[in-house]
Amino acid sequence: MRIGLLLVALSLPLEAGEWGADAVLNVSQTEQALLFNGTSARYKLGGLGILGKYQDESLGTFYLGGGVGYSPDEAASFFSAKASGSATSIFKQVAYSNKLKLTDTLALNLYLNHRDYDIEGDLQGEINNQRLSVDADSRLKINELVLSTPIRVNQKNTLELGIGVIDWQLDATAKGRLEAGISAKTSVEGRGTDPLFIVGLQTELFGSEVKFTYKNSKFAADETTTMHEIVISLPVAGF
């Protein structure tokens, strides 16, 4: 899906539709650490980015962009020890949306979304009274397919209820070093396809159209945990 959306976005005609950009704030976290064969990996992400967009009345809207994030409170398990500290992330995003008008009063919104996160953490812990330094690197890929129903409340506010699926893949590696010079490495790999539910509100603040979206899904690993995500988008250029 990612490659197909990217190729379509790069081949769009320059004059046929409208161009613009959205500022996007994204915060997400699972209620518990994900466990894979007894090894844990934490899912906690946040980022601020810019998405360029192209809208055509017949084709829909295409998005391409990315951003950066910072988390001051990250943790990783390294064998029998726990390490904590800060982490930075870079994300890339390709997305598509279209409004499917069924009748004069009923419509469905279609969303396709791919995000690719690269996360690096510099964490500290302790084993047997020796200082432990951990370099934690993770890559998370997310694909989402959602169908939603917009419900117009009044002239300025529209609610949105949707259901879909989230396909995710996580690869995490932790490299640890003790003060004595001993080093070791542990890794986690996991993937799954799970249901996704969204609730959105499109409203007007300070003369600009702002969209708030809450996403809820279940990530199934050794144990199932709930993922919560909040996305805020604000047009900063174009339509």
Side-chain angles (χ1 to χ4, degrees):
M1 183 180 74
R2 172 184 51 174
I3 296 176
L5 285 175
L6 180 59
L7 291 175
V8 172
L10 293 177
S11 63
L12 293 173
L14 294 177
E15 303 296 336
E18 298 179 280
W19 293 84
D22 288 349
V24 178
L25 174 65
N26 180 297
V27 179
S28 57
Q29 182 174 351
T30 53
E31 292 182 353
Q32 300 173 346
L34 296 171
L35 292 174
F36 305 96
N37 298 321
T39 303
S40 66
R42 194 176 183 185
Y43 179 104
K44 181 181 179 183
L45 296 170
L48 179 64
I50 293 291
L51 295 180
K53 59 183 181 180
Y54 171 88
Q55 183 182 61
D56 183 271
E57 288 187 4
S58 58
L59 295 177
T61 305
F62 298 84
Y63 302 85
L64 178 64
V68 297
Y70 173 76
S71 174
D73 180 25
E74 283 296 330
S77 63
F78 189 76
F79 295 106
S80 61
K82 296 289 184 180
S84 59
S86 62
T88 57
S89 63
I90 298 175
F91 73 90
K92 294 164 283 186
Q93 185 170 352
V94 181
Y96 170 77
S97 68
N98 201 353
K99 188 171 185 177
L100 310 174
K101 192 171 182 180
L102 304 180
T103 68
D104 291 339
T105 58
L106 180 62
L108 286 177
N109 290 333
L110 168 67
Y111 297 103
L112 298 173
N113 187 13
H114 171 84
R115 284 172 288 161
D116 198 332
Y117 290 89
D118 288 305
I119 308 157
E120 296 184 357
D122 181 14
L123 313 179
Q124 304 294 325
E126 190 175 279
I127 296 180
N128 297 328
N129 296 320
Q130 289 194 57
R131 183 179 177 182
L132 170 68
S133 299
V134 178
D135 295 327
D137 298 319
S138 301
R139 186 171 187 183
L140 179 67
K141 298 179 181 180
I142 293 177
N143 293 303
E144 296 172 343
L145 168 63
V146 174
L147 283 174
S148 67
T149 301
I151 304 170
R152 191 171 185 84
V153 179
N154 53 42
Q155 188 174 359
K156 292 186 178 181
N157 298 286
T158 300
L159 287 174
E160 189 173 14
L161 303 175
I163 186 171
V165 293
I166 179 171
D167 182 84
W168 55 274
Q169 178 181 336
L170 174 67
D171 297 296
T173 301
K175 300 176 182 178
R177 300 180 304 278
L178 291 174
E179 288 179 308
I182 301 173
S183 62
K185 175 181 176 181
T186 183
S187 60
V188 173
E189 294 182 3
R191 63 182 62 197
T193 301
D194 299 292
L196 172 66
F197 304 92
I198 75 164
V199 178
L201 172 63
Q202 184 173 299
T203 187
E204 187 176 309
L205 291 176
F206 309 109
S208 296
E209 188 178 271
V210 183
K211 186 172 183 179
F212 301 88
T213 304
Y214 167 73
K215 301 180 182 181
N216 181 291
S217 63
K218 302 287 186 181
F219 275 23
D222 292 356
E223 300 175 358
T224 300
T225 185
T226 301
M227 189 272 284
H228 304 280
E229 181 175 2
I230 296 176
V231 182
I232 303 173
S233 61
L234 171 69
V236 292
F239 59 92

